[in-house]
Amino acid sequence: MSERTLEELARHVGGELRGDPGLTIRSAATLEEAVEGQISFLANPRYFRLMETTRASAVVVGEAQPLSVSQIVAPDPYYAFAQMVVLLHGHRQHLGTGISPRASVDPTATIGAETHIHDFATVSAGSRVGARCVLYPNVYVGPGVEVGDDCVLYAGVVIYDGCRLGNRVIVQANATVGEDGFGFATHRGVHHKIPHIGRVIIEDDVEIGAGSGIERGTLQDTVIGRGSKVGDLVAIGHGVRLGPGCLVVAQAGIAGSTTLGHHVVLAGQVGVAGHLKIGDMVAVGAKSGVNRSIPAGQRVFGYPAFEQRQSTAAYAAFKSLPQFRRRLIELEERVEQMEARLSAGAAETGGA
Amino acid sequence: MSERTLEELARHVGGELRGDPGLTIRSAATLEEAVEGQISFLANPRYFRLMETTRASAVVVGEAQPLSVSQIVAPDPYYAFAQMVVLLHGHRQHLGTGISPRASVDPTATIGAETHIHDFATVSAGSRVGARCVLYPNVYVGPGVEVGDDCVLYAGVVIYDGCRLGNRVIVQANATVGEDGFGFATHRGVHHKIPHIGRVIIEDDVEIGAGSGIERGTLQDTVIGRGSKVGDLVAIGHGVRLGPGCLVVAQAGIAGSTTLGHHVVLAGQVGVAGHLKIGDMVAVGAKSGVNRSIPAGQRVFGYPAFEQRQSTAAYAAFKSLPQFRRRLIELEERVEQMEARLSAGAAETGGA
Amino acid sequence: MSERTLEELARHVGGELRGDPGLTIRSAATLEEAVEGQISFLANPRYFRLMETTRASAVVVGEAQPLSVSQIVAPDPYYAFAQMVVLLHGHRQHLGTGISPRASVDPTATIGAETHIHDFATVSAGSRVGARCVLYPNVYVGPGVEVGDDCVLYAGVVIYDGCRLGNRVIVQANATVGEDGFGFATHRGVHHKIPHIGRVIIEDDVEIGAGSGIERGTLQDTVIGRGSKVGDLVAIGHGVRLGPGCLVVAQAGIAGSTTLGHHVVLAGQVGVAGHLKIGDMVAVGAKSGVNRSIPAGQRVFGYPAFEQRQSTAAYAAFKSLPQFRRRLIELEERVEQMEARLSAGAAETGGA
């Protein structure tokens, strides 16, 4: 942690300063929790009222607000704030251990310069780990795996044989990459295991969340595209392919052979069926179940998922379903009475 | 395991004995599986028929039943039964290993008296583990972590740097506490990682299930309140705060910054969106998706979730939706016919 | 990997060869990705168009197709193809390490012949591991566990005390077997932990996916029946019993004490409530929530789940719900107008 003046922070993000340039900022906090010496941000107008009462010394905003608190105005305030958090707090510092004698590194493995391998981590035969990586305790890197430069594998991460990780890949604790997929040929009631000869390819700048599982492909590789971020406890099936820049939030799942374009967003607990094509920039609302391919750019929601505005309207109407039923029954009765009356009237007047 | 007389058991729970006080009870079982020498319980009247046929030597009940089987009557029969299970079977006995020479304990770490640290467990620099704890194999305790007294961390548990665990905390195998949250500032299509400077605070008497992940906070701490119990494969987002006594069942997920009051119950596979307030004693039915704040005491169900009685009625009506459509179409036809008839009649009689 | 002639492959699966018997096949691939020297398959007629353009040297089919590509005709083409993948590629070859001196094997444990125990794996007191097993790094086998012959436990797998695994059981990385169930007796707002005296029994030929959690029983054992396959990140509650041949796909969850018959299929993200009976051969569609027992052979879908054809119809109608509402309102207006007209007419004609 290192303190900065407001002026330094504004300059760092190319923002416009409204307030005392010499103000010392020591750390970052939310509007609600900030105290003197802290900087906060307002990215969502919904939280404007918090800005009126915040004790933060300064706030990063998209547009200057008519308030006395010091402000740094930046067109993308959350991004500017994030850059300041990095400046003030830095990313996690990993302890330098070198290659621990209590790690298990196969003599045929190649380890890059300045890579740290903690106690009880394993790097198997024929695998390569790049430079400046950190392998925490109890990491397992299987045979023939390739890991690029500047990767961090947290404690308990397992990478199966033959998988490939690019540069700057982060895998949070207890995640698994490259396990066998759920692939069986069922014959006369017996489920026969199919060898999974595909690998998992994780491209540069990907992050995988804690406890997630990325299956290797049956025949073709599973691919996580460049810069995609996968949350905690996500299940990605065999042969799935994510384009670059996707966001897959916690507990979402993607079944086998489905492909996602670039910058697709799957919110938390979403499920996507197998063998589908999800177009570029598609956004799927939380807990939706996607059972058909989705064209690029569409926002969908629901179980099963369909176009978001339509589904929002349908779910709103759903609450009134018991009332609809009552009104339907009432209408049927009224219509029946009228029909009876009309028939009686017709009989009376001798009409048809 | 140690056997007891029925009288000892009744006295232990303050229950009223109806039957032979000298009867020997060796162990506990369900009504269906119990044999002679075993005690069982009836907490849900729905299972009364099992009590008529059980071979248990005695049954714990809330009210005496007109049956010949020996009974212990206690106002909270399941709690009384649970106390007997503890008496007869005890909680898990952990093997005493001391601090294994094959564990990795940093010289700057502090370990309390009678704490056992198994082979291949790691306690990092500057961390403190209290007295009478057990750290199973492959546990990872990061730098600067504090663990209270009488905690049990099962195999493969990972506690990231700086997190705090109270006393009597139990973390089941392969759970992760304090991983980075899913927090990125997206700027021009690139997702920039935000340092997570919050911690995870786990208060006294909490239990965390196997494979679960509790994210550390971005700016403010994630908190699991005293006595709360979290099931298996649960995902808790950055900055979430649970009050005391909550129950979060398996595979539920809570998105970032949401707060839960005390004694909130989230059933299995529930999802709660971010930035919400879930009031005290709220109960959310299984697999519900909560997308708005819920006032204290309310029971909700559904996707999206709303008040339980209303949603139960709506889901019941939902099954008849195709039939509603048919009835709607039929009504439209009947109304059209009547309108035609009325118009014709009006024309005939020269009416309006 | 070993190459074969087309004739050898056809003979291996008892298929009928249509094409050049001497053709060399080196490996297997999908229709889309296959190149010369590879064999592919067509099991689903939906992908027939891919067969017209594939560059595969041969395709396994259920019925001969009027195309020039070499074909092997077999009644169950996917099973035949799977057998060929095994022949050409083989299952994973595990590195022979013997019992590593860096593993922790208790002197009272029994290890069968030709079993490999990797670095940092633990086999606790009184446990037995059969012959020809592989325990990868960081596996934990608790006290009194029994593991049969030919089992593979991948890195980070945890088996709690007293559990039983049959023969040929595979457990993928970071899965947990036998953790305490989510069982608490709540008394005056305090959740008291109930000792879980049941075990987990995993029968022969079962596979458990990465990151899954199988709770031990409270009073009776949790059982995974012979030949059942459980996917990644699945949560199975205390006392659940699966019959033989079940398929439980990724992220599904089964709450406590529920029993499944044989060959039940739970698709991805399905949730099944506790204390239910799911009959033989039941199939539950993806992401369904099952809240009642299901008779044998039924296919169900939905949240909550009901008979599949009915629920498919209801979900189809659901999309039109806002339109139904409009039509209902319109009908009410039309009926009201008619009623007014009829009353006016009745008044006019002096009718009732």
Side-chain angles (χ1 to χ4, degrees), chain A residues 288-334:
Chain A
S288 297
V290 178
N291 61 0
R292 57 179 182 84
S293 294
I294 310 281
Q298 199 171 69
R299 305 180 77 85
V300 298
F301 175 75
Y303 170 65
F306 55 106
E307 195 278 325
Q308 186 175 269
R309 271 182 7 157
Q310 290 175 40
S311 71
T312 302
Y315 280 103
F318 174 72
K319 293 190 187 183
S320 308
L321 208 45
Q323 184 205 13
F324 289 0
R325 177 162 55 183
R326 282 193 299 276
R327 286 161 66 181
L328 193 61
I329 291 168
E330 194 199 309
L331 266 181
E332 286 171 335
E333 285 166 1
R334 287 161 71 184

Side-chain angles (χ1 to χ4, degrees), chain C residues 171-243:
Chain C
V171 187
Q172 299 287 342
N174 284 325
T176 303
V177 172
E179 71 274 19
D180 294 340
F182 197 75
F184 303 94
T186 302
H187 186 71
R188 298 186 181 166
V190 177
H191 309 301
H192 297 269
K193 184 175 178 68
I194 300 172
H196 276 64
I197 60 184
R199 304 164 298 176
V200 174
I201 309 295
I202 295 185
E203 298 181 356
D204 293 347
D205 299 301
V206 165
E207 181 163 344
I208 305 289
S212 290
I214 320 275
E215 293 182 356
R216 67 192 311 113
T218 316
L219 297 170
Q220 59 190 32
D221 295 331
T222 303
V223 180
I224 310 296
R226 182 167 40 83
S228 286
K229 310 295 181 183
V230 174
D232 293 353
L233 295 168
V234 168
I236 295 189
H238 42 192
V240 165
R241 295 184 175 201
L242 269 67

Side-chain angles (χ1 to χ4, degrees), chain A residues 27-30 32-33 40-41 46-47 76 78-79 81-82 85-86 89-92 95 102 118-120 136-138 154-156 170-174 207 209-211 227-233 245-251 263 269 285-289 301-303 315 318-322 324-325 327-329 331-332 334-336 338-339 342-344 346 349 351-352, chain B residues 101-105 120-122 124-125 138-140 143 156-158 160-161 174-176 178-182 184-187 189-195 197 211-216 218-221 233-236 241 251-253 269-271 275 277 287-289 292 303-306 310-311 313-318 320-321 324 327-328 331 334-335 338 341-342 348:
Chain A
S27 57
T30 61
E32 267 174 312
E33 297 212 328
S40 191
F41 73 100
R46 200 174 128 197
Y47 298 109
D76 184 343
Y78 190 56
Y79 175 57
F81 177 72
V85 178
V86 174
H89 296 272
H91 287 288
R92 179 176 289 111
L95 298 176
R102 298 176 99 179
H118 284 247
D119 299 349
F120 320 132
Y136 274 83
N138 312 314
Y154 286 99
I170 297 171
V171 187
Q172 300 287 343
N174 284 326
E207 180 163 343
S228 287
K229 311 294 182 183
V230 174
D232 293 352
L233 295 168
C246 292
L247 294 174
V248 180
V249 183
Q251 292 179 321
H263 292 90
Q269 296 187 339
K287 221 177 172 66
S288 297
F301 175 75
Y303 170 65
Y315 280 103
F318 174 72
K319 293 190 187 183
S320 308
L321 208 45
F324 289 0
R325 177 162 55 183
R327 286 161 66 181
L328 193 61
I329 291 168
L331 266 181
E332 286 171 335
R334 287 161 71 184
V335 165
E336 196 162 340
M338 278 198 289
E339 285 171 339
L342 275 177
S343 296
T349 62
Chain B
R102 299 176 98 179
S104 172
V105 179
F120 321 132
T122 297
S124 305
N138 313 313
V139 162
Y140 171 74
V157 163
V158 174
Y160 276 64
D161 48 299
N174 284 325
T176 303
E179 72 273 20
D180 294 340
F182 196 75
F184 303 93
T186 302
H187 186 70
V190 177
H191 309 302
H192 297 269
K193 183 174 178 69
I194 299 171
I197 61 184
S212 289
I214 321 275
E215 293 182 357
R216 67 193 309 115
T218 315
L219 298 170
Q220 59 190 31
D221 295 331
L233 295 168
V234 168
I236 295 189
R241 295 184 175 198
Q251 293 178 321
Q269 296 187 339
V270 160
H275 296 275
K277 286 196 194 310
K287 221 178 172 67
S288 296
R292 57 178 183 82
Y303 170 66
F306 54 106
Q310 289 175 41
S311 70
Y315 281 102
F318 174 73
S320 309
L321 209 44
F324 289 0
R327 285 161 65 181
L328 194 60
L331 267 181
R334 286 161 71 183
V335 165
M338 278 198 290
R341 230 164 123 178
L342 274 177
E348 213 172 275

